[in-house]
Amino acid sequence: FIFIALAGLLVAAIGWFAYSYWPAKEELVVEKSIAVLPFKNDSNDSTNVYLINGLMESTLNNLQKIKDLRVISRTSVEKYRNNAKTIPEMASELNVTYFVEGSGQKIGDRIVLTIQLIEGTTDRHLWSRQYRRETKDIFALQQEISNDIAGEIKAIITPDEKNRIQKIPTQNLEAYDLFLKGVDLLKSGGDENWKQSLVLFDEAISKDNTFALAYACAGMACYYLDLYKAERPHINQLGAYADKAILHDAKQAESLMVKG
């Protein structure tokens, strides 16, 4: 009888330990971490690269607004632009679960973009979609892409995050096109590129003087032009751009960054 009682106690103890310390099913959910790889330009026209890069940037920025996702920074994935490494190799290096690949082109007034969602460890394609939109619908396209990706990963988007994703930076498409060209040069680096990006940002601002994102990026161009220089001729410009960015959108991350 004593042996049976002890055995019963042992079984009960093991059961309690398993219940208390064994991971619950919901704790075994795959982490919602994602990297957006540089998009590829499918067109032979290299002048459209800035637009494809801009769509990649907007996809990344929109996903970064979702707290339920861990999104790898653009700097970390940019090194894979012309790299021959496999998806599993990149997944191991970046410690990420999902990858977004994109390729597209601009044909007249239309954008054709293909987006794929890939599982990092297995290189398995989970989802793919081709988007065909007119250039005037570029903001709706950006929102649709990020919402579709978040939906496939089952990421939770709060009402506040949804509002920030849906916020349009400017109503002027000419200003936005100039802005995208400026951002492409800003990301390319080098004094000449930064100077030319500043010209483009100023042109964008001339078409929409409430364009907070253009002010913020113009300020960043000034910052980079003065970085590590003994003299800082752009410091006053930087301050002016930062103030305008804050004036027109004080909650925008880029506005706060350039002001800081």
Side-chain angles (χ1 to χ4, degrees):
F1 178 82
I2 294 175
F3 176 80
I4 294 174
L6 288 174
L9 286 172
L10 179 61
V11 169
I14 292 171
W16 175 84
F17 183 87
Y19 176 81
S20 300
Y21 294 99
W22 195 263
K25 286 185 178 179
E26 57 266 27
E27 294 176 340
L28 297 176
V29 173
V30 175
E31 184 193 30
K32 298 169 188 174
S33 56
I34 191 165
V36 182
L37 294 173
F39 287 4
K40 297 177 182 178
N41 179 33
D42 287 336
S43 172
N44 292 326
D45 186 357
S46 60
T47 60
N48 289 330
V49 170
Y50 78 93
L51 180 64
I52 303 304
N53 287 342
L55 288 167
M56 176 266 181
E57 196 77 25
S58 66
T59 299
L60 175 66
N61 289 342
N62 282 340
L63 291 175
Q64 286 177 331
K65 294 171 184 174
I66 304 171
K67 289 183 180 179
D68 198 35
L69 289 176
R70 180 173 70 86
V71 184
I72 305 302
S73 70
R74 185 191 64 82
T75 305
S76 296
V77 298
E78 184 61 31
K79 62 185 178 182
Y80 298 108
R81 181 177 290 275
N82 298 308
N83 196 299
K85 289 192 175 181
T86 65
I87 291 290
E89 287 173 334
M90 289 187 282
S92 177
E93 291 179 6
L94 295 173
N95 187 29
V96 69
T97 307
Y98 302 106
F99 282 86
V100 173
E101 283 187 336
S103 61
Q105 58 183 312
K106 181 173 176 284
I107 305 172
D109 290 330
R110 293 185 66 81
I111 299 169
V112 179
L113 191 67
T114 301
I115 301 294
Q116 299 179 83
L117 181 66
I118 303 169
E119 189 174 56
T121 55
T122 63
D123 198 12
R124 184 165 61 96
H125 285 63
L126 303 175
W127 168 83
S128 179
R129 183 174 177 186
Q130 186 176 83
Y131 300 83
R132 293 176 177 270
R133 301 288 184 275
E134 293 185 17
T135 52
K136 65 182 179 66
D137 297 324
I138 189 169
F139 300 125
L141 171 61
Q142 293 169 353
Q143 295 164 17
E144 190 176 355
I145 292 169
S146 55
N147 286 334
D148 286 348
I149 293 169
E152 288 299 317
I153 299 175
K154 294 181 172 55
I156 298 170
I157 304 177
T158 67
D160 179 62
E161 291 165 353
K162 184 177 181 180
N163 289 336
R164 286 194 288 134
I165 290 171
Q166 291 179 341
K167 187 171 184 178
I168 294 174
T170 176
Q171 296 290 343
N172 190 306
L173 289 177
E174 287 185 64
Y176 190 66
D177 192 66
L178 289 163
F179 166 77
L180 287 181
K181 291 176 180 176
V183 168
D184 201 48
L185 290 169
L186 182 68
K187 303 294 185 185
S188 296
D191 281 4
E192 289 307 312
N193 284 332
W194 291 327
K195 288 177 183 177
Q196 186 56 37
S197 75
L198 196 51
V199 171
L200 290 164
F201 292 139
D202 281 337
E203 287 184 29
I205 291 167
S206 72
K207 294 183 180 297
D208 178 3
N209 61 9
T210 66
F211 196 170
L213 196 53
Y215 283 115
C217 288
M220 291 178 193
C222 291
Y223 171 77
Y224 287 129
L225 282 167
D226 284 355
L227 191 62
Y228 305 126
K229 304 285 175 62
E231 296 182 3
R232 299 184 178 181
H234 300 88
I235 190 69
N236 291 331
Q237 272 182 289
L238 168 55
Y241 285 130
D243 288 343
K244 287 285 189 178
I246 290 291
L247 173 66
H248 295 296
D249 193 342
K251 293 183 178 180
Q252 179 178 255
E254 291 84 355
S255 298
L256 296 170
M257 185 187 302
V258 75
K259 184 64 176 176

